[in-house]
Amino acid sequence: MTDAQIAVQELRITLTVDDFDAAVRLYRDALGLPEVADWSSDRGRVLLLDAGRATLELFDEAQAAMVDDLEVGERVSGKVRLALQVPDADAAAATLTAAGATPVAAAVDTPWGDRNARVAAPDGMQLTLFTPGAES
């Protein structure tokens, strides 16, 4: 590591949501992200959920458009979209939809062998639920 590099040890994504209870039902209860800490106080509510290993995937606009077209059929996601690896993308999409998410597109098989489904959380955050294929 050079002097100019920083040793990042955790990627933490902070979502500010309009309906905190709906977000908790979706991310903690339906998706099953374990609660690590509850730092809520009379000044505001906050839960820290364990989402497993994190990576940061950088797209240019052309790649974002290609993935949206592949998964949904048109460019629909914003600058941030969460992609979550799950054991069964179809089942996860159904579970999250039952918990208040909105289906964006049915699951598709990608050219790279994954199975991807797209839903939107109650706050509008788009989630790609992906199950790696045998080649991944």
Side-chain angles (χ1 to χ4, degrees):
M1 184 166 78
T2 68
D3 292 339
Q5 293 176 324
I6 299 170
V8 173
Q9 299 180 6
E10 177 182 344
L11 171 62
R12 183 174 295 178
I13 299 167
T14 303
L15 295 180
T16 301
V17 296
D18 294 329
D19 187 336
F20 191 85
D21 292 324
V24 170
R25 282 191 303 274
L26 185 85
Y27 292 105
R28 185 192 65 193
D29 301 342
L31 193 56
L33 300 182
E35 187 174 314
V36 174
D38 182 343
W39 296 314
S40 298
S41 70
D42 58 352
R43 298 186 63 175
R45 296 172 71 189
V46 59
L47 287 181
L48 181 63
L49 304 175
D50 183 354
R53 185 179 70 92
T55 59
L56 178 61
E57 188 172 23
L58 302 175
F59 281 8
D60 65 8
E61 181 56 37
Q63 181 68 17
M66 186 278 294
V67 170
D68 273 4
D69 187 56
L70 175 73
E71 292 182 3
V72 182
E74 63 181 312
R75 182 78 171 102
V76 294
S77 65
K79 294 285 186 187
V80 177
R81 174 180 49 83
L82 300 181
L84 305 165
Q85 183 176 332
V86 296
D88 182 333
D90 297 86
T95 297
L96 295 185
T97 299
T102 303
V104 176
V108 298
D109 294 314
T110 67
W112 48 91
D114 292 354
R115 179 95 173 141
N116 291 17
R118 181 83 66 95
V119 301
D123 63 356
M125 176 61 66
Q126 291 207 4
L127 310 173
T128 292
L129 306 164
F130 73 96
T131 303
E135 306 87 49
S136 296

